[in-house]
Amino acid sequence: MDMRVSFGGLSLKNPVLTASGTFGYGLEFMPYGDLKKLGGLVVKGISLKPRQGNPMPRIAETPAGMLNAIGLQNIGVEIFVRDKLPRLPWRETAVIVNLYACAAEEFGELAARLAGEEGVAALEVNVSCPNVSEGGAAFGAAPSQIRRVTEAVKRSAGDKPVIVKLSPNVTDIVAAGRAAADGGADILSAINTLTGMAVDVRKRAPRLANVVGGLSGPAIKPVGLRCVWQLARALPLPVIGIGGIASAEDALEYILVGAHAVQVGTATFLRPDTAFRLVDEIDALCGELSLQSFEGYRGSLSI
Ligand SMILES: Cc1cc2nc3c(=O)[nH]c(=O)nc-3n(C[C@H](O)[C@H](O)[C@H](O)COP(=O)(O)O)c2cc1C
Protein backbone atom coordinates (compact mmCIF):
# COMPACT_ATOMS: atom_id res chain seq x y z
CA MET A 1 0.00 0.00 0.00
CA ASP A 2 1.36 3.41 -0.98
CA MET A 3 0.51 5.51 2.08
CA ARG A 4 1.72 8.84 0.66
CA VAL A 5 -0.73 11.69 0.19
CA SER A 6 -0.22 15.08 -1.48
CA PHE A 7 -2.76 17.88 -1.39
CA GLY A 8 -2.93 21.67 -1.19
CA GLY A 9 0.87 22.02 -1.30
CA LEU A 10 1.51 19.47 1.46
CA SER A 11 3.19 16.12 0.85
CA LEU A 12 2.93 13.59 3.67
CA LYS A 13 4.39 10.10 3.94
CA ASN A 14 1.04 8.92 5.31
CA PRO A 15 -2.29 10.59 6.16
CA VAL A 16 -1.91 10.43 9.97
CA LEU A 17 -1.43 13.74 11.76
CA THR A 18 -1.84 14.66 15.42
CA ALA A 19 -4.45 17.26 16.43
CA SER A 20 -3.43 20.57 17.95
CA GLY A 21 -3.50 20.75 21.73
CA THR A 22 -3.45 16.99 22.21
CA PHE A 23 0.20 16.29 21.33
CA GLY A 24 2.03 19.12 23.10
CA TYR A 25 4.91 20.41 20.99
CA GLY A 26 5.55 16.86 19.75
CA LEU A 27 8.70 16.40 21.83
CA GLU A 28 6.72 15.16 24.85
CA PHE A 29 5.65 12.11 22.83
CA MET A 30 9.11 10.87 21.86
CA PRO A 31 9.00 8.19 24.61
CA TYR A 32 5.87 6.67 23.02
CA GLY A 33 6.94 6.29 19.40
CA ASP A 34 9.11 7.55 16.57
CA LEU A 35 7.85 10.99 15.49
CA LYS A 36 9.32 10.27 12.03
CA LYS A 37 6.67 7.59 11.58
CA LEU A 38 3.84 10.13 11.50
CA GLY A 39 2.61 11.88 8.38
CA GLY A 40 2.85 15.05 10.41
CA LEU A 41 2.22 16.68 13.72
CA VAL A 42 0.23 19.78 14.51
CA VAL A 43 1.61 21.56 17.54
CA LYS A 44 -0.33 23.25 20.33
CA GLY A 45 -1.96 26.55 19.31
CA ILE A 46 0.73 29.26 19.33
CA SER A 47 0.07 32.94 20.00
CA LEU A 48 2.32 35.99 19.60
CA LYS A 49 2.90 36.24 23.35
CA PRO A 50 2.97 33.37 25.91
CA ARG A 51 -0.43 32.62 27.52
CA GLN A 52 -1.22 31.18 30.96
CA GLY A 53 -4.54 29.63 29.96
CA ASN A 54 -7.65 29.29 32.10
CA PRO A 55 -7.87 28.44 35.82
CA MET A 56 -8.23 24.75 36.86
CA PRO A 57 -10.17 22.50 36.56
CA ARG A 58 -9.85 22.67 32.81
CA ILE A 59 -10.77 19.08 31.86
CA ALA A 60 -13.91 17.04 32.59
CA GLU A 61 -14.74 13.52 31.44
CA THR A 62 -18.10 13.02 29.70
CA PRO A 63 -19.82 9.98 28.19
CA ALA A 64 -17.72 8.97 25.16
CA GLY A 65 -15.72 12.17 25.29
CA MET A 66 -14.21 14.98 27.28
CA LEU A 67 -14.63 18.68 27.80
CA ASN A 68 -11.67 21.02 27.89
CA ALA A 69 -11.20 24.69 28.58
CA ILE A 70 -7.40 24.94 28.54
CA GLY A 71 -7.59 28.51 27.30
CA LEU A 72 -4.80 28.22 24.75
CA GLN A 73 -1.95 28.01 27.25
CA ASN A 74 1.27 28.18 25.23
CA ILE A 75 4.86 29.40 25.26
CA GLY A 76 4.47 31.99 22.50
CA VAL A 77 5.89 31.98 19.00
CA GLU A 78 9.43 33.16 19.83
CA ILE A 79 10.17 30.44 22.38
CA PHE A 80 8.57 27.83 20.14
CA VAL A 81 10.84 28.77 17.24
CA ARG A 82 13.94 28.98 19.45
CA ASP A 83 13.51 25.96 21.77
CA LYS A 84 11.06 23.45 20.26
CA LEU A 85 11.13 23.59 16.46
CA PRO A 86 14.87 22.85 16.06
CA ARG A 87 14.46 19.65 18.12
CA LEU A 88 11.63 18.25 16.00
CA PRO A 89 12.44 15.90 13.06
CA TRP A 90 10.90 18.36 10.59
CA ARG A 91 12.93 17.10 7.62
CA GLU A 92 11.21 13.71 7.86
CA THR A 93 7.80 14.61 9.29
CA ALA A 94 5.67 17.65 8.48
CA VAL A 95 5.50 20.09 11.39
CA ILE A 96 2.35 22.18 11.18
CA VAL A 97 1.97 25.17 13.47
CA ASN A 98 -1.51 25.95 14.76
CA LEU A 99 -2.00 29.72 15.03
CA TYR A 100 -4.11 31.36 17.70
CA ALA A 101 -5.04 35.02 17.83
CA CYS A 102 -8.12 37.16 18.30
CA ALA A 103 -7.66 39.67 15.50
CA ALA A 104 -6.83 39.37 11.80
CA GLU A 105 -3.74 41.61 12.20
CA GLU A 106 -2.35 39.38 14.97
CA PHE A 107 -2.87 36.31 12.78
CA GLY A 108 -0.98 38.09 10.00
CA GLU A 109 1.91 38.89 12.36
CA LEU A 110 2.13 35.26 13.48
CA ALA A 111 2.16 34.04 9.88
CA ALA A 112 4.86 36.56 8.97
CA ARG A 113 7.03 35.36 11.88
CA LEU A 114 6.76 31.71 10.74
CA ALA A 115 6.84 32.19 6.96
CA GLY A 116 10.64 32.09 6.85
CA GLU A 117 11.08 29.10 9.17
CA GLU A 118 12.34 26.17 7.12
CA GLY A 119 11.06 23.65 9.68
CA VAL A 120 7.43 24.70 9.34
CA ALA A 121 5.54 22.74 6.67
CA ALA A 122 2.22 24.58 6.91
CA LEU A 123 0.16 26.91 9.08
CA GLU A 124 -3.18 25.86 10.58
CA VAL A 125 -5.44 28.74 11.57
CA ASN A 126 -7.65 28.29 14.64
CA VAL A 127 -10.51 30.73 14.23
CA SER A 128 -12.23 29.78 17.49
CA CYS A 129 -11.27 32.71 19.72
CA PRO A 130 -14.22 33.45 22.05
CA ASN A 131 -15.54 36.92 21.35
CA VAL A 132 -16.20 38.26 24.86
CA SER A 133 -17.97 41.39 23.64
CA GLU A 134 -20.47 39.24 21.75
CA GLY A 135 -21.41 36.90 24.60
CA GLY A 136 -18.57 34.44 24.11
CA ALA A 137 -19.50 33.20 20.65
CA ALA A 138 -16.35 32.31 18.70
CA PHE A 139 -15.48 35.05 16.24
CA GLY A 140 -14.65 32.34 13.75
CA ALA A 141 -18.34 31.60 13.45
CA ALA A 142 -18.87 34.60 11.16
CA PRO A 143 -17.93 33.91 7.51
CA SER A 144 -16.81 37.53 7.02
CA GLN A 145 -14.29 37.16 9.90
CA ILE A 146 -13.06 33.81 8.61
CA ARG A 147 -12.38 35.38 5.24
CA ARG A 148 -10.56 38.37 6.75
CA VAL A 149 -8.38 36.17 8.96
CA THR A 150 -7.57 33.82 6.09
CA GLU A 151 -6.61 36.73 3.84
CA ALA A 152 -4.36 38.17 6.55
CA VAL A 153 -2.57 34.84 7.08
CA LYS A 154 -2.28 34.07 3.38
CA ARG A 155 -0.78 37.52 2.66
CA SER A 156 2.02 36.91 5.17
CA ALA A 157 2.53 33.15 4.87
CA GLY A 158 4.93 33.21 1.90
CA ASP A 159 4.87 29.79 0.25
CA LYS A 160 3.56 27.91 3.33
CA PRO A 161 0.22 26.18 2.71
CA VAL A 162 -2.54 27.70 4.83
CA ILE A 163 -5.00 25.34 6.53
CA VAL A 164 -8.13 26.89 8.01
CA LYS A 165 -9.56 24.87 10.89
CA LEU A 166 -13.32 25.17 11.08
CA SER A 167 -15.55 25.19 14.11
CA PRO A 168 -18.64 22.95 14.07
CA ASN A 169 -20.48 25.51 16.23
CA VAL A 170 -22.15 27.10 13.21
CA THR A 171 -25.41 26.58 11.39
CA ASP A 172 -23.72 26.26 7.99
CA ILE A 173 -20.24 24.68 7.88
CA VAL A 174 -20.11 25.03 4.08
CA ALA A 175 -20.56 28.82 4.34
CA ALA A 176 -17.64 28.88 6.78
CA GLY A 177 -15.52 26.73 4.45
CA ARG A 178 -16.42 28.87 1.45
CA ALA A 179 -15.35 32.00 3.33
CA ALA A 180 -11.95 30.38 3.99
CA ALA A 181 -11.68 29.36 0.31
CA ASP A 182 -12.54 32.91 -0.79
CA GLY A 183 -9.85 34.21 1.57
CA GLY A 184 -7.26 32.03 -0.17
CA ALA A 185 -7.05 28.93 2.07
CA ASP A 186 -5.18 25.98 0.55
CA ILE A 187 -6.69 23.31 2.82
CA LEU A 188 -9.56 23.05 5.32
CA SER A 189 -9.48 21.06 8.53
CA ALA A 190 -12.63 20.09 10.42
CA ILE A 191 -13.72 19.88 13.13
CA ASN A 192 -12.66 21.76 16.22
CA THR A 193 -14.51 20.99 19.47
CA LEU A 194 -18.24 21.45 20.07
CA THR A 195 -19.22 23.91 22.80
CA GLY A 196 -20.57 22.19 25.89
CA MET A 197 -20.73 22.17 29.67
CA ALA A 198 -20.90 19.75 32.60
CA VAL A 199 -22.26 20.40 36.10
CA ASP A 200 -22.07 18.76 39.54
CA VAL A 201 -25.49 18.38 41.24
CA ARG A 202 -23.99 18.03 44.74
CA LYS A 203 -21.68 21.00 44.60
CA ARG A 204 -24.18 22.91 42.46
CA ALA A 205 -21.19 23.99 40.44
CA PRO A 206 -19.84 23.68 36.93
CA ARG A 207 -17.16 21.02 36.44
CA LEU A 208 -14.93 23.45 34.52
CA ALA A 209 -13.72 26.67 36.14
CA ASN A 210 -14.44 28.34 32.80
CA VAL A 211 -18.04 26.93 33.00
CA VAL A 212 -18.14 26.09 29.28
CA GLY A 213 -15.61 24.11 27.27
CA GLY A 214 -15.03 22.17 24.07
CA LEU A 215 -16.37 18.63 23.65
CA SER A 216 -14.11 16.14 21.87
CA GLY A 217 -13.62 12.39 21.51
CA PRO A 218 -15.75 9.54 20.09
CA ALA A 219 -18.95 11.44 20.95
CA ILE A 220 -18.25 13.98 18.19
CA LYS A 221 -17.21 11.63 15.36
CA PRO A 222 -20.64 11.65 13.68
CA VAL A 223 -20.58 15.47 13.65
CA GLY A 224 -17.06 15.49 12.21
CA LEU A 225 -17.98 13.00 9.50
CA ARG A 226 -21.04 15.02 8.54
CA CYS A 227 -19.03 18.25 8.34
CA VAL A 228 -16.20 16.72 6.27
CA TRP A 229 -18.69 15.08 3.93
CA GLN A 230 -20.56 18.37 3.38
CA LEU A 231 -17.33 20.34 2.85
CA ALA A 232 -15.74 17.82 0.49
CA ARG A 233 -18.86 17.66 -1.67
CA ALA A 234 -19.44 21.39 -1.85
CA LEU A 235 -15.97 22.91 -2.15
CA PRO A 236 -12.88 22.29 -4.31
CA LEU A 237 -10.44 22.44 -1.35
CA PRO A 238 -8.88 19.34 0.25
CA VAL A 239 -10.14 18.61 3.78
CA ILE A 240 -8.35 17.12 6.80
CA GLY A 241 -10.81 15.15 8.95
CA ILE A 242 -10.78 15.53 12.75
CA GLY A 243 -13.07 14.35 15.52
CA GLY A 244 -13.17 11.16 17.53
CA ILE A 245 -10.57 9.25 15.54
CA ALA A 246 -9.07 6.37 17.54
CA SER A 247 -8.85 3.46 15.10
CA ALA A 248 -7.95 2.68 11.49
CA GLU A 249 -11.62 2.24 10.75
CA ASP A 250 -12.39 5.72 12.11
CA ALA A 251 -9.67 7.15 9.86
CA LEU A 252 -10.92 5.34 6.75
CA GLU A 253 -14.48 6.53 7.48
CA TYR A 254 -13.21 10.10 7.17
CA ILE A 255 -11.32 9.27 3.96
CA LEU A 256 -14.42 7.55 2.56
CA VAL A 257 -16.46 10.75 3.03
CA GLY A 258 -13.75 12.81 1.32
CA ALA A 259 -10.84 13.58 3.68
CA HIS A 260 -7.26 13.67 2.34
CA ALA A 261 -5.75 13.14 5.80
CA VAL A 262 -6.85 12.82 9.43
CA GLN A 263 -5.83 14.15 12.83
CA VAL A 264 -5.84 12.14 16.05
CA GLY A 265 -6.79 14.15 19.15
CA THR A 266 -8.44 12.98 22.36
CA ALA A 267 -7.59 9.31 21.68
CA THR A 268 -4.00 10.23 22.56
CA PHE A 269 -5.11 10.95 26.15
CA LEU A 270 -6.24 7.33 26.51
CA ARG A 271 -3.20 5.85 24.78
CA PRO A 272 -0.28 8.16 24.02
CA ASP A 273 0.88 5.88 21.19
CA THR A 274 -2.44 5.96 19.29
CA ALA A 275 -1.23 8.03 16.31
CA PHE A 276 1.88 5.85 15.87
CA ARG A 277 -0.19 2.64 16.01
CA LEU A 278 -2.72 4.05 13.57
CA VAL A 279 -0.11 4.25 10.79
CA ASP A 280 0.36 0.45 10.88
CA GLU A 281 -3.30 -0.26 11.48
CA ILE A 282 -4.43 1.81 8.48
CA ASP A 283 -1.88 -0.02 6.33
CA ALA A 284 -3.27 -3.38 7.54
CA LEU A 285 -6.91 -2.36 7.02
CA CYS A 286 -6.14 -1.08 3.51
CA GLY A 287 -4.55 -4.48 2.80
CA GLU A 288 -7.70 -6.20 4.02
CA LEU A 289 -9.79 -3.95 1.72
CA SER A 290 -7.31 -4.54 -1.18
CA LEU A 291 -6.61 -0.81 -1.61
CA GLN A 292 -3.41 0.12 -3.54
CA SER A 293 -3.62 3.82 -2.60
CA PHE A 294 -6.12 6.24 -1.12
CA GLU A 295 -6.94 7.84 -4.48
CA GLY A 296 -9.71 5.48 -5.53
CA TYR A 297 -11.20 5.20 -2.07
CA ARG A 298 -11.35 8.86 -1.08
CA GLY A 299 -14.85 10.28 -1.34
CA SER A 300 -16.17 7.05 -2.90
CA LEU A 301 -19.12 6.77 -0.51
CA SER A 302 -22.05 5.33 -2.43
CA ILE A 303 -25.37 6.91 -1.56
C1 LIG B 1 -7.03 19.44 25.54
C2 LIG B 1 -7.31 19.94 24.14
C3 LIG B 1 -6.65 21.07 23.67
C4 LIG B 1 -6.89 21.56 22.38
N1 LIG B 1 -6.21 22.66 21.92
C5 LIG B 1 -6.40 23.09 20.65
C6 LIG B 1 -5.63 24.17 20.11
O1 LIG B 1 -4.73 24.73 20.77
N2 LIG B 1 -5.90 24.59 18.84
C7 LIG B 1 -6.86 23.97 18.06
O2 LIG B 1 -7.06 24.38 16.91
N3 LIG B 1 -7.57 22.92 18.53
C8 LIG B 1 -7.36 22.48 19.79
N4 LIG B 1 -8.08 21.38 20.25
C9 LIG B 1 -9.04 20.70 19.36
C10 LIG B 1 -8.44 19.45 18.73
O3 LIG B 1 -7.30 19.75 17.93
C11 LIG B 1 -9.48 18.71 17.86
O4 LIG B 1 -9.93 19.56 16.84
C12 LIG B 1 -10.69 18.25 18.68
O5 LIG B 1 -10.30 17.80 19.95
C13 LIG B 1 -11.49 17.15 17.99
O6 LIG B 1 -10.71 15.98 17.76
P1 LIG B 1 -10.73 14.70 18.78
O7 LIG B 1 -12.17 14.31 18.96
O8 LIG B 1 -9.93 13.65 18.08
O9 LIG B 1 -10.10 15.17 20.04
C14 LIG B 1 -7.84 20.89 21.55
C15 LIG B 1 -8.50 19.75 22.04
C16 LIG B 1 -8.24 19.25 23.30
C17 LIG B 1 -8.96 18.01 23.77
Side-chain angles (χ1 to χ4, degrees):
M1 168 76 181
D2 182 1
M3 294 276 277
R4 286 174 303 176
V5 287
S6 285
F7 56 94
L10 256 189
S11 288
L12 309 176
K13 65 173 76 158
N14 64 63
V16 180
L17 302 152
T18 58
S20 180
T22 65
F23 206 70
Y25 299 104
L27 301 165
E28 299 88 334
F29 285 80
M30 283 176 165
Y32 303 103
D34 184 358
L35 295 180
K36 296 198 274 295
K37 190 168 179 181
L38 302 172
L41 53 98
V42 184
V43 299
K44 174 71 192 156
I46 302 280
S47 46
L48 280 173
K49 296 271 174 288
R51 284 173 58 99
Q52 288 286 324
N54 289 328
M56 314 256 182
R58 321 198 276 192
I59 297 265
E61 196 169 343
T62 63
M66 69 181 243
L67 281 166
N68 90 84
I70 306 297
L72 278 300
Q73 178 182 353
N74 79 94
I75 55 178
V77 69
E78 289 307 329
I79 299 178
F80 170 74
V81 168
R82 192 192 67 198
D83 295 349
K84 306 290 183 186
L85 187 57
R87 293 163 58 205
L88 288 166
W90 52 265
R91 286 184 200 279
E92 291 89 6
T93 288
V95 174
I96 298 173
V97 182
N98 182 278
L99 310 184
Y100 180 76
C102 287
E105 304 70 48
E106 274 176 58
F107 272 112
E109 263 184 74
L110 271 170
R113 177 64 190 85
L114 293 163
E117 291 297 332
E118 198 187 359
V120 175
L123 305 175
E124 183 180 63
V125 183
N126 176 5
V127 288
S128 299
C129 171
N131 190 334
V132 178
S133 63
E134 287 176 26
F139 90 149
S144 57
Q145 287 279 20
I146 295 175
R147 183 178 173 151
R148 252 168 41 82
V149 166
T150 310
E151 283 170 350
V153 172
K154 193 64 194 166
R155 245 194 320 272
S156 304
D159 57 3
K160 308 278 187 219
V162 171
I163 306 167
V164 175
K165 182 168 179 178
L166 300 175
S167 165
N169 304 314
V170 293
T171 43
D172 185 354
I173 190 89
V174 173
R178 191 171 289 119
D182 292 345
D186 299 292
I187 301 167
L188 301 173
S189 59
I191 56 176
N192 211 315
T193 54
L194 285 142
T195 311
M197 69 188 285
V199 298
D200 184 324
V201 291
R202 288 179 182 79
K203 294 186 185 151
R204 302 189 188 195
R207 291 190 189 273
L208 296 174
N210 191 56
V211 185
V212 296
L215 181 66
S216 63
I220 73 166
K221 190 179 73 173
V223 181
L225 282 172
R226 185 266 297 169
C227 289
V228 169
W229 177 69
Q230 287 183 317
L231 290 165
R233 269 161 57 108
L235 302 170
L237 292 188
V239 185
I240 300 174
I242 321 169
I245 296 170
S247 69
E249 201 155 324
D250 295 332
L252 278 201
E253 287 174 19
Y254 273 94
I255 292 171
L256 180 59
V257 302
H260 278 73
V262 295
Q263 293 180 13
V264 179
T266 299
T268 293
F269 289 89
L270 278 178
R271 283 196 59 154
D273 63 345
T274 303
F276 304 105
R277 278 192 305 120
L278 222 56
V279 176
D280 296 328
E281 287 176 16
I282 291 173
D283 197 12
L285 182 55
C286 288
E288 194 188 313
L289 300 177
S290 305
L291 304 182
Q292 308 297 311
S293 75
F294 295 109
E295 294 306 320
Y297 193 70
R298 181 181 312 117
S300 66
L301 185 74
S302 63
I303 297 175

